[in-house]
């Protein structure tokens, strides 16, 4: 008698079997998890304590005084700062636009890359495969909304109570769900490119309004913008959690109804997502995860953004030169190539310009104009701006044969790669410090000192662009979140280290509130050393060096 079975696996059964199979090969338990969480919290508190001690010691050594660095303002007395309401509303609007643009780039409804390869081709309904990713992907936006809304609601509420703060946090989570549902619907219908462009423009323009308002208030006199004139910003949909914190309840009801309604529509149409869209979002997630694992900040930034569009650019600079010697013609061709690639990526140049205005945006906000925060913002913005200009250097580092085709010595080619980043960063420094000076932060002497640091920042671009690939053969370091590759850490620190070294005199003078004469030779010396360091060409490894895992190379018979 033939044995007949009616067993038919569903997507849920396959997913659960895969989960149990992976779980059977894991090690550890509840106590290991508790130990990792405890180690993470203890490590974070230790780092905060060490950072506070360093800041206090630095202020005492510079003779600033006994006042806390977080309370001492670097803004000139009598400066008209932007109100906290306008700053909070602008921050919420910028972060909401950035979150929506990020979700539309990464694909909010996502699966892991192996899952798309193994599961989507099976003859079962794909809802069981897509549904877990749809629900899990809402966790991160919800947590981010709570982290942002909770302190703002506590600081902006007139009479904060536990109930009102809890409802304001719920309203912020509802806004995150609404944005998630909107991005999910755009993914299902394969539409919304125009919306993504608008969100990108908002993330660029909104922070600049803080600087513009502060500059206008300090020259307008009696015509300055008052808090009553910016009260309307509290009624922006992204600012509704602030209304809920003050006692209003209608924004919470509207947000929850819209969010739950849109999420329901998305849930009912999950199976409309095509295989190509799921694979594209899985590839984007894998790209971001690999960039994070290798600690490559530049690649991580590129993976989280749309990236520059160069395929349809009409910029065509002259690349062939007939006059002069062979060396001069080759140098002109390389410089023209760098300029062409930069002009073909206007978003990169715009990002660099916006980064120059972020420290001034921070200084323009009431109670945030202290020297330490501005110094940290300057360092981060300078580093990210320098890294954004290194696309050509990274391409040349990954394709050394391109540079070898030029009839130039390797040192000359490296110096030509240095020209454009050095020129842009030399212009970036006076723009950033001129905006700060217009807000009363710093002095003309500090502005001149920053100009001398610009060429050194260009060298940091080159050093990061031509850094060696991570050595994955180096032993990992144990950490609460798992093993961290030592080679990736070493590669990650190449670039940020030189940026900090170059800006050290500028940052010290900014925190101390004065620019002594000795700072100028010190800055010029560090800039010159950074130039030598950034344009240095590493010698290729000798044939006598050890091969993989330190073992000698096996001779190949001829």
């Amino acid at each position: 008698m033939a044995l007949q079975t009616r067993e038919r696996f569903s997507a849920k059964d396959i997913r659960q079997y895969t989960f149990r199979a992976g779980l059977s090969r894991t090690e550890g338990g509840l106590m290991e998890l508790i130990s990792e969480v405890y180690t993470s919290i203890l490590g974070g508190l230790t780092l905060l304590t060490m950072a506070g001690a360093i800041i206090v010691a630095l202020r005492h050594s510079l003779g600033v005084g006994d006042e806390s660095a977080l309370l001492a303002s670097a803004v000139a007395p009598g400066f008209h700062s932007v109100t906290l309401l306008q700053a909070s509303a602008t921050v919420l609007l910028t972060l909401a636009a950035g979150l929506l643009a990020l979700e539309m780039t990464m694909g909010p409804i996502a699966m892991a890359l192996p899952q798309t390869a193994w599961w989507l081709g099976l003859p079962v309904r794909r809802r069981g495969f897509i549904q877990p990713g749809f629900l899990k992907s809402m966790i991160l936006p919800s947590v981010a909304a709570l982290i942002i809304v909770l302190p703002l609601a506590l600081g902006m509420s007139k009479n904060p109570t536990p109930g009102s703060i809890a409802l304001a946090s719920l309203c912020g989570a509802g806004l995150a769900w609404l944005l998630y549902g909107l991005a999910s619907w755009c993914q299902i219908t394969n539409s919304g490119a125009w919306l993504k462009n608008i969100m990108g423009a908002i993330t660029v323009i909104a922070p600049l309004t803080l600087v513009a308002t502060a500059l206008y208030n300090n020259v307008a006199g009696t015509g300055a913008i008052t808090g009553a004139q910016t009260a309307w910003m509290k009624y922006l949909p992204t600012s509704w959690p602030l209304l809920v914190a003050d006692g209003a309840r209608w924004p919470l009801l509207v947000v929850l109804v819209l969010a739950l309604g849109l999420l329901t529509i998305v849930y009912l149409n999950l199976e409309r997502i095509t295989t190509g869209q799921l694979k594209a979002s899985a590839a984007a997630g894998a790209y971001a995860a690999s960039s994070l694992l290798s600690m490559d900040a530049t690649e991580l930034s590129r993976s989280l953004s749309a990236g520059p569009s160069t395929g349809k650019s009409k910029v065509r600079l002259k690349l062939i030169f007939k006059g002069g010697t062979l060396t001069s013609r080759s140098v002109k061709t390389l410089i023209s190539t760098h300029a062409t690639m930069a002009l073909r990526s206007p978003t990169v140049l715009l990002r660099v310009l916006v980064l120059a205005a972020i420290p001034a945006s921070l200084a323009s906000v009431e109670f945030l104009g202290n020297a330490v925060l501005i110094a940290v913002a300057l360092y981060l913005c300078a580093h990210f701006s320098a890294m954004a200009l290194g696309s050509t250097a990274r391409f040349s580092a990954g394709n050394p044969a391109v540079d070898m085709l030029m009839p130039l010595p390797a040192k000359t080619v490296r110096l030509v790669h240095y020209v454009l980043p050095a020129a842009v960063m030399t212009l970036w420094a006076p723009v950033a410090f001129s905006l700060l000076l217009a807000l009363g932060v710093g002095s003309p002497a500090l502005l001149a000192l920053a100009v001398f640091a610009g060429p050194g920042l260009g060298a940091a671009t080159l050093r990061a662009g031509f850094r060696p690939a991570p050595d994955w053969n180096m032993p990992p370091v144990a950490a609460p979140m798992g093993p961290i590759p030592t080679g990736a850490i070493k590669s990650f620190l190449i670039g940020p280290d030189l940026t900090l070294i170059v800006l050290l005199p500028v940052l010290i003078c900014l925190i101390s509130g004065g620019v002594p004469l000795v700072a100028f030779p010190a800055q010029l010396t560090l800039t010159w050393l950074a130039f030598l360091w950034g344009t240095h060409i590493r010698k290729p490894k000798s044939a006598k060096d050890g091969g993989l895992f330190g073992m000698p190379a096996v001779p190949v018979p001829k």
Side-chain angles (χ1 to χ4, degrees):
M1 183 175 62
L3 180 63
Q4 297 181 356
T5 61
R6 296 186 298 106
E7 185 176 10
R8 181 180 178 87
F9 291 103
S10 64
K12 181 179 180 180
D13 297 330
I14 298 172
R15 192 182 71 248
Q16 291 178 347
Y17 170 77
T18 306
F19 174 75
R20 288 193 298 267
L23 193 63
S24 64
R25 291 189 290 270
T26 59
E27 298 180 358
L30 178 61
M31 294 307 299
E32 285 78 3
L33 178 61
I34 296 175
S35 176
E36 290 180 359
V37 173
Y38 168 77
T39 306
S40 301
I41 296 175
L42 181 61
L45 293 177
T46 303
L47 289 176
L48 288 176
T49 304
M50 293 175 60
I54 292 174
I55 291 173
V56 172
L58 180 62
R59 287 179 58 80
H60 279 286
S61 64
L62 294 174
V64 177
D66 296 329
E67 187 179 7
S68 173
L70 296 179
L71 297 178
S73 177
V75 181
F79 174 77
H80 298 282
S81 301
V82 176
T83 61
L84 286 178
L85 174 59
Q86 181 180 354
S88 302
T90 303
V91 168
L92 289 173
L93 178 61
T94 303
L95 293 178
L99 177 62
L100 182 55
L102 177 62
E103 289 177 339
M104 296 182 70
T105 299
M106 301 296 294
I109 305 174
M111 298 173 60
L113 203 57
Q115 293 174 351
T116 60
W118 288 97
W119 287 353
L120 293 182
L122 297 177
V124 295
R125 293 187 62 182
R126 62 174 59 191
R127 172 179 291 276
F129 296 142
I130 303 174
Q131 177 179 329
F134 168 72
L135 298 176
K136 291 179 181 178
S137 298
M138 287 192 294
I139 298 177
L140 187 59
S142 303
V143 173
L146 293 177
I147 294 175
I148 295 168
V149 170
L150 185 60
L152 290 178
L154 284 171
M156 297 299 299
S157 178
K158 297 178 181 177
N159 297 307
T161 61
S164 63
I165 299 302
L167 292 178
S169 302
L170 179 60
C171 184
L175 285 174
W177 299 338
L178 182 60
L179 295 176
Y180 178 82
L182 184 58
S184 301
W185 182 251
C186 291
Q187 183 184 11
I188 291 175
T189 58
N190 195 21
S191 60
W194 60 272
L195 180 60
K196 182 180 176 181
N197 294 332
I198 293 177
M199 294 300 105
I202 290 176
T203 57
V204 171
I205 297 174
L208 299 180
T209 60
L210 297 178
V211 182
T213 303
L215 293 176
Y216 173 77
N217 286 345
N218 284 273
V219 298
T222 57
I225 299 176
T226 61
Q229 293 174 325
T230 58
W232 62 270
M233 300 186 71
K234 205 171 187 178
Y235 293 91
L236 291 174
T238 53
S239 302
W240 282 356
L242 303 180
L243 286 176
V244 176
D246 282 338
R249 297 294 177 261
W250 64 266
L252 177 61
L253 297 177
V254 173
V255 167
L256 291 180
V257 169
L258 292 178
L260 294 178
L262 184 56
L263 289 176
T264 302
I265 296 175
V266 170
Y267 180 80
L268 296 176
N269 290 272
L270 283 179
E271 290 185 306
R272 291 179 55 185
I273 305 179
T274 63
T275 301
Q277 291 172 335
L278 289 174
K279 289 185 175 181
S281 60
Y287 182 21
S290 62
S291 302
L292 185 62
L293 177 63
S294 60
M295 295 186 178
D296 192 335
T298 304
E299 291 300 322
L300 180 62
S301 175
R302 181 182 298 179
S303 65
L304 297 180
S305 61
S309 178
T310 59
K312 299 181 181 180
S313 177
K314 297 182 180 180
V315 177
R316 298 289 188 275
L317 298 182
K318 183 178 180 180
L319 298 178
I320 300 177
F321 299 89
K322 298 180 179 180
T325 62
L326 179 62
T327 300
S328 65
R329 296 199 305 269
S330 302
V331 169
K332 293 177 183 178
T333 299
L334 273 179
I335 294 177
S336 181
T337 302
H338 277 270
T340 301
M341 294 188 67
L343 294 176
R344 286 182 177 181
S345 304
T347 54
V348 174
L349 299 177
L350 184 60
R351 186 184 309 164
V352 171
L353 181 62
V354 172
L355 286 171
I358 286 181
S361 301
L362 182 65
S364 64
V365 180
E366 191 177 4
F367 305 120
L368 294 182
N370 60 81
V372 174
L373 287 179
I374 297 175
V376 172
L378 275 171
Y379 167 70
L380 294 176
C381 292
H383 171 64
F384 290 136
S385 298
M387 297 305 101
L389 298 172
S391 59
T392 307
R394 289 191 299 271
F395 175 81
S396 299
N399 302 272
V402 177
D403 286 347
M404 294 180 182
L405 294 176
M406 301 299 297
L408 294 171
K411 185 66 175 181
T412 304
V413 174
R414 185 64 58 88
L415 291 175
V416 175
H417 287 316
Y418 167 76
V419 171
L420 184 65
V424 175
M425 292 309 297
T426 303
L427 295 175
W428 183 92
V431 170
F433 281 85
S434 295
L435 290 174
L436 287 173
L437 184 59
L439 299 178
V441 178
S443 61
L446 184 63
L447 174 60
L449 191 66
V451 173
F452 293 149
L457 296 176
T461 301
L462 224 59
R463 173 169 162 77
F466 285 96
R467 63 186 174 189
D471 186 3
W472 301 106
N473 296 325
M474 298 179 67
V477 176
M481 69 290 297
I484 299 178
T486 309
I489 297 176
K490 181 180 178 181
S491 177
F492 172 76
L493 294 177
I494 297 178
D497 54 352
L498 193 56
T499 304
L500 180 59
I501 292 173
V502 170
L503 287 177
L504 197 57
V506 177
L507 299 181
I508 291 177
C509 293
L510 175 63
I511 296 175
S512 64
V515 183
L517 292 178
V518 70
F520 289 94
Q523 182 62 70
L524 290 174
T525 302
L526 289 179
T527 300
W528 174 249
L529 292 177
F531 167 76
L532 297 178
W533 199 358
T535 57
H536 173 69
I537 298 178
R538 297 181 180 89
K539 295 182 180 180
K541 291 185 177 181
S542 172
K544 297 180 181 180
D545 291 342
L548 188 62
F549 301 106
M551 301 298 292
V554 178
V556 179
K558 297 182 180 180

